[in-house]
Amino acid sequence: MGINVLSISTLLFLLLVGLMVVDADVAMLKKAEMKTLIELANHHATFSIDQALKTEGIIEMVQPEAMDRFAVRMAENGSYSRQGDRYLPSSTSVTTDPVFIANYYVSFQDWRKDIRLSLRFNGNALLIEEADTGAEERPTGGELQVAVTTEKGQLLRIAPKKMIGPSNVVVAYVHERPLVPLLPAHSFPVVSVEELKW
């Protein structure tokens, strides 16, 4: 009897470990797919240039139009519908939970400077709390550092990105339910930096 209980508990433990591994693998795949989806949508967004200013030699992004273009690609490529700054999944989307979006435009004057973006997810929105632009210019382009504070206060840092011109920065935050309710949820940010198509 004692051996059977031990065997069952060992089997349950191994099953739980197996579920944790599968759940983590699925989360990593979702993160990779979400990164691709965000980059494709952001690429489409960066064609939103103010044509009137361009004729005067001024390159400026039209942000509302850019984010409308972003939403179009999120719908076409990922079956997400836009609701404010969040994107709601359909049954065929990569995630089962909403994707929260924040965007930041790096202008023609600032792309050679280092920029630190601090964002916070409050459970309902992803908000830019601070955008700190350095004073010193780098001839080859500044470095972008992004950090997201989760609802529970955990700080998630993303590997620095190099800017090669005026850019649209999109930060997506996913708080995804696990496969099995016993396991913790997966929270991860994804960043896309796309140069304006001027």
Side-chain angles (χ1 to χ4, degrees), residues 45-81:
T46 53
F47 285 90
S48 301
I49 302 298
D50 189 316
Q51 296 301 323
L53 289 176
K54 185 178 177 182
T55 59
E56 298 174 21
I58 301 169
I59 305 302
E60 197 66 49
M61 187 175 81
V62 183
Q63 289 196 55
E65 180 188 320
M67 295 318 289
D68 286 346
R69 290 174 66 91
F70 184 90
V72 166
R73 280 295 189 263
M74 287 291 283
E76 291 174 351
N77 296 337
S79 298
Y80 285 89
S81 59

Side-chain angles (χ1 to χ4, degrees), residues 13-184:
F13 174 74
L14 292 174
L15 180 62
L16 182 61
V17 169
L19 285 171
M20 288 173 69
V21 170
V22 169
D23 189 54
D25 286 347
V26 168
M28 290 304 291
L29 286 171
K30 286 186 176 190
K31 183 176 181 179
E33 287 187 43
M34 183 54 59
K35 182 163 181 55
T36 300
L37 180 61
I38 296 298
E39 286 177 346
L40 289 171
N42 196 18
H43 176 80
H44 189 59
T46 53
F47 285 90
S48 301
I49 302 298
D50 189 316
Q51 296 301 323
L53 289 176
K54 185 178 177 182
T55 59
E56 298 174 21
I58 301 169
I59 305 302
E60 197 66 49
M61 187 175 81
V62 183
Q63 289 196 55
E65 180 188 320
M67 295 318 289
D68 286 346
R69 290 174 66 91
F70 184 90
V72 166
R73 280 295 189 263
M74 287 291 283
E76 291 174 351
N77 296 337
S79 298
Y80 285 89
S81 59
R82 182 182 186 184
Q83 187 181 76
D85 290 331
R86 74 176 66 185
Y87 286 78
L88 305 178
S90 70
S91 59
T92 59
S93 298
V94 173
T95 64
T96 54
D97 290 273
V99 177
F100 297 87
I101 299 288
N103 86 293
Y104 182 79
Y105 170 55
V106 180
S107 71
F108 213 84
Q109 293 78 27
D110 290 336
W111 71 269
R112 290 184 179 89
K113 300 173 184 175
D114 291 345
I115 298 174
R116 284 187 304 134
L117 283 181
S118 298
L119 299 96
R120 179 175 295 276
F121 177 65
N122 66 10
N124 296 310
L126 180 62
L127 306 168
I128 296 175
E129 287 194 319
E130 188 178 358
D132 183 27
T133 303
E136 193 174 322
E137 290 194 356
R138 298 183 192 216
T140 58
E143 185 178 86
L144 175 71
Q145 295 182 10
V146 178
V148 177
T149 303
T150 69
E151 195 176 7
K152 293 183 177 178
Q154 181 185 8
L155 187 64
L156 305 174
R157 293 189 186 278
I158 299 163
K161 306 280 185 185
K162 188 77 171 172
M163 293 176 287
I164 59 171
S167 305
N168 191 41
V169 177
V170 174
V171 182
Y173 182 78
V174 178
H175 182 76
E176 183 81 343
R177 286 171 287 174
L179 290 173
V180 180
L182 294 172
L183 301 176

